[in-house]
Amino acid sequence: MKKVIKVIIALIILAIIVFGYLIYKNDKAIPAADAKHAVNPNPVSRYAIDKPKSNGEYIARAADCIACHTAKDGFPFAGGLALNSPFGAIYSTNITPDKATGIGNYSLEDFSNAVRKGVRKDGEALYPAMPYTAYRNMTDADIKALYDFFMNDVKPVHSPNQRNGVGFPFNQRWGLSLWQMVGLSSQKPADLGDKELNRGAYLAETLAHCGTCHTPRNLFFAEKGLDSSSADFISGAPLGDWYAPNVRKVAGQWTQQELAEYLATGRNDHTSAVADMSDAVNHSLQYLSDEDMTAMTKYLKYIADKNVPALDPAKTQATATLLTNAKDLSEGAQLYANNCMGCHFAAGQGAAKVFPKLDGNELVNAKNPYGLLHVILHGARLPSTIKAPAALAMPGFAGELSDEEAAALATFVRSSWNNNAPAATAADAAKARK
Amino acid sequence: MSMREAKKVDVLLVGLGWTNSVVGMEIADSGLDILALERGPDRDTVPDFKAPQMLDELKYALRHELAQWPSIMTLTHRYKPGQKALPYRTIGSFIPANGVGGAGVHWNGNAWRAQPEEMKLRSYAEGKFGKAVFSEDITTQDYPMTYAELEPYFDYYERIMGIAGKAGNLNGKIVEGGNPFEGPRSKEYPTKAMQTLYNSETFGHAAKELGYHPFTMPSANMTESYTNPYGMQLGPCNYCGFCERFGCYNYSKASPQTCVLGALKQKPNFHYKANSEVLKIVLADDGKTVTGATVFDEQTQETYFQPADLVVLGTFALNNVHMMLYSGIGKPYDPQTGEGVVGKNYAYQIVGGAQLFFKDKNFNRFVGAGSASIAIDDFGTNNMDFGKLGFVGGAYIQSWNTNGQPIRNLPLPPGTPKWGKGWKEATGEWYNHSMSIAYHGSNQSYRDVYCDLDPVYKDRHGRPLMRLTYEFKPNDMKMAMHYQDAIDGIVKVLNPDHVGRGYKNMNTVYDLRAYQSTHNTGGTIIGDKPTNSVVNKYGQVWGVHNLFICGASLFPQNIQYNPTGMAVALALHTAAAIRDQYLKAPRELV
């Protein structure tokens, strides 16, 4: 019976989504905000690094609350960051203990309902931009510690929340409540038969909410799997115009140590973090204790794809030879030789921890070339972390490469060595340039 | 008019190049409030050294974008006392830097240690060859510490910079393939030696044939991925040939940016301000301590006072001396009486060499790196019979290929027309067919070679410029001629089609216009007593205990090697003394 209800609800939601999308498509000019978040005259320096001072703060870091709940020019946890969903901009809210504009009036239960059930103090449902589908498994003890941290250690900031840029019908909160019936499962702590693995699962599935970006979503925009029992869980997903890689495949290619290095420093012998992952390392993952990092990476190895094919050295060599001989090179190959080869080299292997390997790289091979083009045109900078303070950066080449050239270069990179991804177009590059 | 007083800091670092970067890092864990003031702009690999913009020979190598332009600061020069000095109006003989990272941004990365004998040069030479080995006008003196005392700091600097090389003397044991004449090192180099280029291999074969001991030059150009003790990272060099006068776009050359600053900027108690020029270090009324410094803010054009409990002067060697002279700290050196110490024992580097042209050898000169070199130390200071040769000094001999840049680096056989059709044809014919062999030699200190304040010329702030009195001396030119013979002997074995000679001889006059090296040393020298030096063995100014000096201005005379390694090892020695001794009880450490 429960199943039938679920199907009916699903159909209703589907109808709303289709209807809504048609409206949304025709009417994107919805006023975004009616209030501006408070501006911080001294935004946190990109080099500021401090260790968590309490258990609650540790959990806040592990759950990466600050990433979404702080605007670029805002105060910590005072909200105001626009999260661009396919349905319009959703602004993160003020979760400082300010009574007027923040969560100062929240009881522990109110707080728990918001974090674990996606329900506001006033009973309205929260957009699943708040990853309560992951946080639902947060333990009572951690919720309490987190609540104490926000109430006692976070400075209250008067900063009104902004109206979301989400149009009808997605602005109908009752629709969200229906959605929660499909998207949100009940609490189900991991039981993988090993204390350390369970801890790792708790960190990855719940606190670090890896699935929010890395798990593909279904028709109802709900994650296809919320834990390791689902093959879809963290198996790679589009993320706006970027692509959040298939973690299980990567975990099959890397050692546990390499996974830990990547998560703590944003870099390892294979690649470097970019975009949102770089922020996750910067604000959250680098602060995991050594024990937790071991547990989390043990879990990632546990759920890794076991049969990831190794790269073919002959294919690597073929491109290396082509570039080294430098005869009759295509435009893309020439651009690679002139702009990229100094660091990434002819074999596309880069150099451990400094220059990412392009051969077999997840970002390079993403279905959508946007991420690669974005890095080519705008560059990327690693965060300065405790264990790796060098904020290594790749410069952007927007000033040197036309859209056509950037596309030719990206196409070359995506089809050389062991890479085998569709060509990029000048239109893709034009989009990434913006 | 009273000056605005900024908030007091515990430690003021004047200049943010190699030396003060490592000093800042080494004392940061004290928790003290540390402020670094850098005259020039802030610079970082990205965006400031980005390729292809950085690969602009005209902008960076000829117009000296990263350098201290004479309009910002310069000095005057004369050959001997009594002459009128004239300003250094165009960058020529040496290239002081401007901006965060200092000359550590634009160096080639030749990364040497001094020899044990060089650190005790006067007693070594006199002990072995008799007092008469030094002519009366030579004021060369010993360092107040031994090589063995400094060895841990040499080792540490190599680890901070990830120096690429092959040990020749590991704890006294001579190792095949390294430099057998180097001082004993406690550890192998942190990264493997540079790849050798065809020109240096050609040189190496000839040197071996003559019974010499060729080895790969120790290098701050990276050969592999490297993470240093501060967690900072370097990546392998691609031999693009844009090291000296350029910032490395590739994270492949050790610099304050690549090796220190990312880690230092993380320290919550460390801050720095670019475009902030310290004009004067202010002595307290009692003359026994300093109270801070007056600072010119380039952006606001304001001059203000920055109070500090401890000041570390770590600007370029020449500017360190100027700062001390202008601030009136320490007694200025008087060449007539030999008394006074500030400005004493300025020294430089004696360099020269030959260009060899081979019709049938292709050197691929566009493949290069600042330290892509094979060298021999068979003619080094500790391997020379000063008594027999009639001079004191030494040099290493090398063949390197730093770059094949087209404007500055088109060597042509002697007699080629300087312009027109003949020049064009010769350029096409010879561009890829030449290699160099050069010597890089020591320079002794002399009674009448020194720095003082110029009586005529002033800088943009109205401060007198520093006046440099410098000329090549017979001892060093005798040495130069010895290396001419040594190189000619190697050239003979190689038998090139043409040879261009750029040697010095007894008639050579110092030419301020032509680039020679940015190895200006001395002027605030290190020593064992206040009467012969400005600072004690810890770099602490005699009589002014809260002022320390770092840099090559501490060298009592110049060693035969490039000075960066020695300067940074001394700075690390000073930093350890500040951290472990001075901060616990501020006082004179000697």
Side-chain angles (χ1 to χ4, degrees):
Chain A
M1 187 60 197
K2 211 176 164 187
K3 231 179 183 177
V4 175
I5 291 175
K6 264 197 175 177
V7 169
I8 291 168
I9 292 168
L11 286 172
I12 293 169
I13 293 175
L14 179 62
I16 293 171
I17 287 172
V18 172
F19 178 57
Y21 182 66
L22 292 173
I23 294 172
Y24 171 72
K25 229 182 137 182
N26 292 325
D27 185 17
K28 271 189 180 167
I30 294 160
D34 51 4
K36 180 83 176 88
H37 63 266
V39 173
N40 184 350
N42 300 307
V44 181
S45 142
R46 68 191 159 96
Y47 291 107
I49 281 184
D50 52 340
K51 292 190 173 146
K53 286 171 271 300
S54 65
N55 184 33
E57 186 172 12
Y58 180 79
I59 294 158
R61 296 266 176 98
D64 204 4
C65 307
I66 202 167
C68 292
H69 284 281
T70 306
K72 270 204 179 109
D73 55 353
F75 291 91
F77 303 110
L81 185 74
L83 306 166
N84 294 313
S85 81
F87 315 111
I90 296 169
Y91 288 88
S92 65
T93 54
N94 183 347
I95 54 167
T96 70
D98 182 58
K99 286 195 191 298
T101 60
I103 58 168
N105 292 319
Y106 272 52
S107 66
L108 174 60
E109 197 190 343
D110 297 335
F111 182 77
S112 170
N113 284 338
V115 173
R116 295 198 284 199
K117 294 181 180 161
V119 179
R120 270 191 337 213
K121 188 178 167 68
D122 64 3
E124 292 281 13
L126 293 171
Y127 284 103
M130 165 76 179
Y132 47 80
T133 51
Y135 293 160
R136 77 190 193 289
N137 276 334
M138 217 182 272
T139 64
D140 292 346
D142 282 1
I143 280 284
K144 172 79 170 62
L146 197 57
Y147 177 75
D148 288 346
F149 166 69
F150 278 111
M151 290 304 153
N152 304 324
D153 300 342
V154 172
K155 207 178 125 216
V157 177
H158 186 87
S159 182
N161 289 323
Q162 298 181 61
R163 195 150 64 93
N164 290 321
V166 178
F168 184 82
F170 304 105
N171 56 3
Q172 300 301 299
R173 297 265 178 176
W174 58 269
L176 287 171
S177 305
L178 288 181
W179 182 88
Q180 287 181 355
M181 295 177 76
V182 231
L184 185 60
S185 316
S186 55
Q187 274 207 342
K188 194 180 128 202
D191 183 11
L192 304 172
D194 175 292
K195 209 178 147 193
E196 199 175 26
L197 275 180
N198 287 343
R199 175 68 185 168
Y202 179 69
L203 286 159
E205 295 170 1
T206 300
L207 293 184
H209 59 284
C210 306
T212 304
C213 293
H214 290 277
T215 301
R217 290 172 187 265
N218 61 24
L219 209 52
F220 310 116
F221 209 64
E223 290 143 86
K224 283 183 177 169
L226 292 174
D227 57 39
S228 59
S229 66
S230 161
D232 287 317
F233 179 69
I234 60 174
S235 65
L239 185 63
D241 292 315
W242 293 75
Y243 185 79
N246 181 344
V247 178
R248 296 168 95 137
K249 181 181 161 199
V250 171
Q253 291 168 322
W254 298 356
T255 65
Q256 189 181 349
Q257 177 57 34
E258 286 168 347
L259 283 165
E261 268 181 323
Y262 180 79
L263 296 174
T265 68
R267 65 207 83 180
N268 64 11
D269 287 2
H270 303 278
T271 197
S272 296
V274 292
D276 291 4
M277 191 61 196
S278 175
D279 289 343
V281 169
N282 192 18
H283 299 305
S284 170
L285 297 164
Q286 65 160 317
Y287 297 107
L288 288 184
S289 67
D290 290 347
E291 298 75 40
D292 275 352
M293 188 58 90
T294 303
M296 182 146 145
T297 50
K298 184 177 174 181
Y299 164 80
L300 292 176
K301 284 305 281 182
Y302 173 77
I303 67 163
D305 284 351
K306 302 292 185 287
N307 298 311
V308 184
L311 297 181
D312 179 359
K315 286 183 180 170
T316 302
Q317 190 52 50
T319 303
T321 306
L322 174 90
L323 288 165
T324 310
N325 291 342
K327 293 223 169 75
D328 304 320
L329 293 182
S330 67
E331 186 193 13
Q334 277 187 44
L335 288 166
Y336 180 82
N338 288 336
N339 295 292
C340 318
M341 210 155 80
C343 296
H344 298 284
F345 298 105
Q349 301 302 300
K353 297 183 185 63
V354 185
F355 309 134
K357 201 183 273 192
L358 302 180
D359 187 11
N361 186 293
E362 283 291 307
L363 176 81
V364 170
N365 287 288
K367 278 190 198 112
N368 180 342
Y370 181 87
L372 174 63
L373 284 163
H374 196 278
V375 171
I376 288 172
L377 292 170
H378 303 292
R381 185 180 287 276
L382 279 169
S384 175
T385 68
I386 298 166
K387 287 187 176 161
L392 300 172
M394 165 169 152
F397 289 83
E400 285 82 45
L401 302 176
S402 68
D403 291 342
E404 288 73 19
E405 288 168 333
L409 172 57
T411 299
F412 171 78
V413 172
R414 282 160 66 80
S415 59
S416 296
W417 310 288
N418 284 270
N419 300 340
N420 186 18
T425 65
D428 294 330
K431 191 176 168 194
R433 187 184 293 275
K434 278 176 192 155
Chain B
M1 194 181 74
S2 77
M3 217 179 268
R4 180 176 71 87
E5 198 169 307
K7 188 172 165 277
K8 188 174 179 180
V9 293
D10 296 322
V11 184
L12 175 63
L13 305 178
V14 181
L16 191 56
W18 263 127
T19 58
N20 266 347
S21 292
V22 298
V23 168
M25 195 66 200
E26 291 298 313
I27 65 174
D29 287 340
S30 65
L32 292 174
D33 191 11
I34 303 167
L35 173 68
L37 296 176
E38 165 56 43
R39 176 187 61 200
D42 200 359
R43 301 186 200 279
D44 202 357
T45 305
V46 177
D48 302 300
F49 311 150
K50 172 186 182 304
Q53 286 82 350
M54 181 46 66
L55 311 180
D56 184 338
E57 187 190 8
L58 182 63
K59 181 175 178 179
Y60 292 97
L62 281 92
R63 295 181 179 161
H64 298 291
E65 181 69 14
L66 302 174
Q68 167 189 294
W69 290 357
S71 59
I72 298 169
M73 175 53 133
T74 191
L75 44 67
T76 66
H77 170 255
R78 60 182 181 171
Y79 293 99
K80 54 187 179 194
Q83 289 180 326
K84 187 185 170 199
L86 291 171
Y88 182 53
R89 292 183 187 272
T90 308
I91 293 171
S93 176
F94 43 85
I95 313 173
N98 197 38
V100 169
V105 167
H106 78 228
W107 69 317
N108 257 331
N110 301 175
W112 299 88
R113 301 174 169 201
Q115 290 174 355
E117 296 80 0
E118 287 186 292
M119 291 185 61
K120 295 285 177 194
L121 188 57
R122 182 162 284 272
S123 43
Y124 164 74
E126 287 183 352
K128 198 160 177 183
F129 306 103
K131 276 198 182 324
V133 75
F134 287 104
S135 62
E136 181 275 331
D137 63 334
I138 294 182
T139 49
T140 290
Q141 65 188 43
D142 290 354
Y143 280 76
M145 77 273 265
T146 63
Y147 171 89
E149 279 176 83
L150 208 56
E151 203 285 332
Y153 301 95
F154 279 127
D155 179 70
Y156 193 25
Y157 113 75
E158 287 168 354
R159 256 141 257 286
I160 289 168
M161 297 195 198
I163 300 305
K166 171 96 176 72
N169 182 343
L170 263 177
N171 296 306
K173 198 178 152 225
I174 302 303
V175 186
E176 182 72 27
N179 175 9
F181 305 109
E182 69 177 353
R185 52 175 61 248
S186 54
K187 295 195 198 88
E188 179 55 274
Y189 284 97
T191 56
K192 64 174 189 254
M194 293 285 280
Q195 292 189 40
T196 51
L197 307 177
Y198 183 43
N199 65 302
S200 37
E201 278 173 16
T202 304
F203 164 79
H205 290 315
K208 206 155 205 173
E209 207 177 306
L210 290 166
Y212 304 142
H213 302 80
F215 59 93
T216 309
M217 185 199 274
S219 165
N221 316 138
M222 285 308 101
T223 52
E224 55 190 295
S225 281
Y226 179 70
T227 303
N228 79 5
Y230 300 147
M232 295 296 289
Q233 297 169 273
L234 293 150
C237 166
N238 62 34
Y239 299 77
C240 81
F242 285 80
C243 296
E244 189 169 73
R245 308 188 186 203
F246 303 89
C248 180
Y249 67 82
N250 224 52
Y251 294 99
S252 307
K253 178 171 75 179
S255 67
Q257 277 83 352
T258 53
C259 297
V260 190
L261 293 174
L264 185 53
K265 287 175 191 178
Q266 266 191 13
K267 305 281 179 188
N269 54 323
F270 171 81
H271 298 90
Y272 72 105
K273 286 183 194 161
N275 301 306
S276 299
E277 181 176 11
V278 170
L279 300 179
K280 184 182 186 178
I281 295 171
V282 178
L283 208 51
D285 292 341
D286 66 1
K288 289 177 181 162
T289 54
V290 292
T291 57
T294 55
V295 187
F296 174 71
D297 184 321
E298 197 75 53
Q299 264 146 357
T300 62
Q301 300 282 301
E302 182 200 12
T303 301
Y304 63 93
F305 179 65
Q306 175 62 58
D309 283 335
L310 171 63
V311 176
V312 183
L313 175 60
T315 69
F316 187 66
L318 292 165
N319 295 334
N320 278 353
V321 187
H322 179 253
M323 186 70 74
M324 291 296 283
L325 287 167
Y326 179 66
S327 302
I329 305 172
K331 191 175 174 188
Y333 173 67
D334 180 351
Q336 299 299 319
T337 61
E339 285 174 11
V341 285
V342 181
K344 181 185 166 183
N345 282 21
Y346 171 82
Y348 195 43
Q349 202 88 62
I350 306 299
V351 296
Q355 196 76 26
L356 286 60
F357 298 85
F358 300 88
K359 274 188 189 135
D360 58 347
K361 287 188 201 293
N362 284 305
F363 292 106
N364 287 350
R365 294 182 55 247
F366 42 84
V367 180
S371 306
S373 163
I374 285 185
I376 56 170
D377 226 347
D378 298 77
F379 296 87
T381 305
N382 60 359
N383 216 16
M384 305 291 275
D385 188 337
F386 299 150
K388 200 170 126 199
L389 293 166
F391 67 82
V392 177
Y396 68 86
I397 295 173
Q398 64 154 341
S399 178
W400 64 357
N401 185 40
T402 60
N403 70 85
Q405 289 160 27
I407 307 177
R408 294 177 302 147
N409 206 348
L410 289 179
L412 294 169
T416 305
K418 298 277 187 231
W419 56 280
K421 192 163 175 270
W423 177 84
K424 280 186 188 168
E425 278 172 5
T427 298
E429 192 181 343
W430 292 107
Y431 173 75
N432 209 23
H433 301 287
S434 79
M435 61 172 270
S436 69
I437 301 179
Y439 64 83
H440 187 279
S442 62
N443 188 196
Q444 300 312 309
S445 291
Y446 297 88
R447 180 178 293 278
D448 59 353
V449 168
Y450 68 106
C451 305
D452 62 358
L453 291 176
D454 191 278
V456 180
Y457 294 96
K458 292 188 167 40
D459 73 3
R460 62 189 183 136
H461 303 292
R463 299 180 298 174
L465 294 184
M466 188 164 78
R467 176 171 65 180
L468 171 63
T469 304
Y470 181 76
E471 177 56 299
F472 293 142
K473 296 286 186 178
N475 173 79
D476 301 280
M477 292 304 103
K478 237 185 250 175
M479 179 189 85
M481 291 181 75
H482 182 69
Y483 292 108
Q484 172 175 345
D485 294 343
I487 291 179
D488 279 349
I490 300 166
V491 171
K492 206 170 159 192
V493 171
L494 289 169
N495 193 26
D497 297 304
H498 303 280
V499 186
R501 289 183 168 82
Y503 298 124
K504 292 184 168 65
N505 59 48
M506 300 311 286
N507 299 319
T508 306
V509 173
Y510 176 52
D511 183 350
L512 204 63
R513 298 165 305 171
Y515 186 72
Q516 301 185 40
S517 90
T518 308
H519 307 163
N520 316 75
T521 66
T524 69
I525 63 174
I526 193 168
D528 61 0
K529 49 182 181 276
T531 49
N532 71 8
S533 51
V534 175
V535 298
N536 65 27
K537 69 190 284 192
Y538 300 112
Q540 186 179 36
V541 175
W542 293 109
V544 186
H545 69 79
N546 67 341
L547 176 61
F548 289 77
I549 306 179
C550 292
S553 61
L554 268 58
F555 297 9
Q557 56 278 334
N558 204 359
I559 52 176
Q560 69 173 54
Y561 303 108
N562 311 60
T564 303
M566 183 71 188
V568 177
L570 286 172
L572 287 164
H573 182 255
T574 291
I578 294 174
R579 182 191 58 216
D580 302 336
Q581 299 180 53
Y582 184 78
L583 293 180
K584 283 171 187 155
R587 66 198 187 281
E588 287 217 52
L589 296 173
V590 178

